[in-house]
Amino acid sequence: MKQGDLVVRKSYGGDVLFRVAAFAARQAVLRGTDYRLLADAPIEDLQTVRNPDELGGTRQARIKANESLRKISEERSRQFSRIGFMGALDDRRQPFFEMPGKVLHLDGDPNYLKKSMQVYAQLKVPAEGVHCHESQMPHMLLRMLPQVHPDIVVITGHDGVLKQRQDLQQLSSYKNSLNFVHAVNVARDYERSRDSLVVVAGACQSHFEALLQAGANFASSPGRIMIHALDPVYVAVRAAFTPFRDTINITDVIAHTISGKQGVGGIETMGRYRIGVPNLKAASSEQNVNIL
């Protein structure tokens, strides 16, 4: 067994697929491949996985992820219909232009960051992604917030409840919740209004209440459960495409996540989406048609 191998824990019935991040004293540090969980386990408890698609949990997680993406795409189509332009997802046919909220995404996992940026690109959400260790996120935000001027900040990576820790109200019982709280504090020092800067924070089993108290609009995990790698992204996308005059539908947002209400929660927040006119692409296309 070596660093980078895909493994499951035998003592947990192989419920979650991990990638080996490091070894230390006959223990392996593990990072979830589909869930934002950071764990450790004795090497003898690990079983190498050659074909991850054969694992039922992994296959189900990917099915749920695709379903959530499909639902968001359908909602985008309905949004254009409400504006009054059927079939206007083609930029050349829109008499208006869009200004979705801009996302700054900090992620403690480079693979998750890559997947997240692919979703933003697919849904045409302007986004800038940064990979850094969870402990460096407060410092990174100090530098990046004035540069990027985002409408939405995602602060995520890996987390988990430490073994032998029973008091779930103590931040010391979590692997990275304290780092996330410090990062949220930095974001709120930069912008106090929860409507001007929407903050999405947390990972698997994170201290939900502490993150909200620090100033997050949406956070994980109310039920201290594992959340899917893309759950924070789906929340950010909904904030980016909810009109600035409307409150983000919390129930609807949670319905679009993979983990559900035990995985993600939040407070009433205004959206960050605007439209404008004219659409210069559409005007240019019409001019070409008229000339011909």
Side-chain angles (χ1 to χ4, degrees), residues 30-84:
L30 309 173
R31 295 178 181 269
T33 60
D34 294 296
Y35 294 92
R36 290 185 172 276
L37 181 64
L38 183 65
D40 55 72
I43 294 176
E44 56 270 20
D45 188 36
L46 301 179
Q47 179 178 332
T48 303
V49 175
R50 302 300 180 189
N51 187 359
D53 290 331
E54 294 180 355
L55 295 176
T58 298
R59 190 165 55 250
Q60 188 64 25
R62 290 175 182 172
I63 291 173
K64 289 182 178 180
N66 290 333
E67 178 67 14
S68 293
L69 189 59
R70 183 185 65 79
K71 288 180 180 178
I72 291 176
S73 297
E74 289 177 353
E75 175 59 27
R76 290 283 293 125
S77 296
R78 289 193 294 270
Q79 183 177 20
F80 275 94
S81 297
R82 288 194 297 270
I83 295 173

Side-chain angles (χ1 to χ4, degrees), residues 127-145:
E128 182 157 344
V130 178
H131 166 240
C132 63
H133 190 273
E134 289 82 355
S135 62
Q136 296 300 312
M137 288 182 177
H139 175 75
M140 184 63 68
L141 280 176
L142 278 172
R143 183 163 64 89
M144 295 300 297
L145 284 169

Side-chain angles (χ1 to χ4, degrees), residues 41-239:
I43 294 176
E44 56 270 20
D45 188 36
L46 301 179
Q47 179 178 332
T48 303
V49 175
R50 302 300 180 189
N51 187 359
D53 290 331
E54 294 180 355
L55 295 176
T58 298
R59 190 165 55 250
Q60 188 64 25
R62 290 175 182 172
I63 291 173
K64 289 182 178 180
N66 290 333
E67 178 67 14
S68 293
L69 189 59
R70 183 185 65 79
K71 288 180 180 178
I72 291 176
S73 297
E74 289 177 353
E75 175 59 27
R76 290 283 293 125
S77 296
R78 289 193 294 270
Q79 183 177 20
F80 275 94
S81 297
R82 288 194 297 270
I83 295 173
F85 302 104
M86 295 293 293
L89 289 177
D90 183 347
D91 287 343
R92 294 168 298 178
R93 297 175 60 188
Q94 297 175 12
F96 60 91
F97 62 89
E98 295 186 278
M99 292 183 64
K102 184 178 183 181
V103 177
L104 172 59
H105 183 119
L106 270 62
D107 209 311
D109 187 295
N111 293 322
Y112 289 167
L113 178 62
K114 182 179 179 180
K115 293 179 182 179
S116 299
M117 298 306 293
Q118 289 172 345
V119 173
Y120 292 132
Q122 181 177 347
L123 296 174
K124 297 184 179 181
V125 175
E128 182 157 344
V130 178
H131 166 240
C132 63
H133 190 273
E134 289 82 355
S135 62
Q136 296 300 312
M137 288 182 177
H139 175 75
M140 184 63 68
L141 280 176
L142 278 172
R143 183 163 64 89
M144 295 300 297
L145 284 169
Q147 293 181 18
V148 178
H149 299 294
D151 301 292
I152 303 150
V153 171
V154 176
I155 301 165
T156 189
H158 290 280
D159 206 355
V161 178
L162 295 169
K163 293 180 180 178
Q164 311 303 323
R165 300 295 176 92
Q166 301 298 321
D167 188 355
L168 297 184
Q169 295 306 310
Q170 295 295 322
L171 280 167
S172 58
S173 296
Y174 300 82
K175 294 183 179 179
N176 275 315
S177 287
L178 183 59
N179 291 323
F180 293 146
V181 166
H182 288 329
V184 174
N185 285 331
V186 170
R188 282 291 159 242
D189 286 341
Y190 175 79
E191 174 54 67
R192 300 303 301 174
S193 171
R194 297 198 194 209
D195 290 321
S196 296
L197 181 64
V198 179
V199 177
V200 183
C204 281
Q205 299 181 329
S206 290
H207 196 315
F208 170 75
E209 298 89 340
L211 291 171
L212 284 189
Q213 186 174 7
N217 299 73
F218 299 92
S220 60
S221 155
R224 303 303 193 267
I225 69 169
M226 295 182 297
I227 70 167
H228 191 271
L230 296 178
D231 279 344
V233 178
Y234 294 147
V235 175
V237 167
R238 292 309 304 275

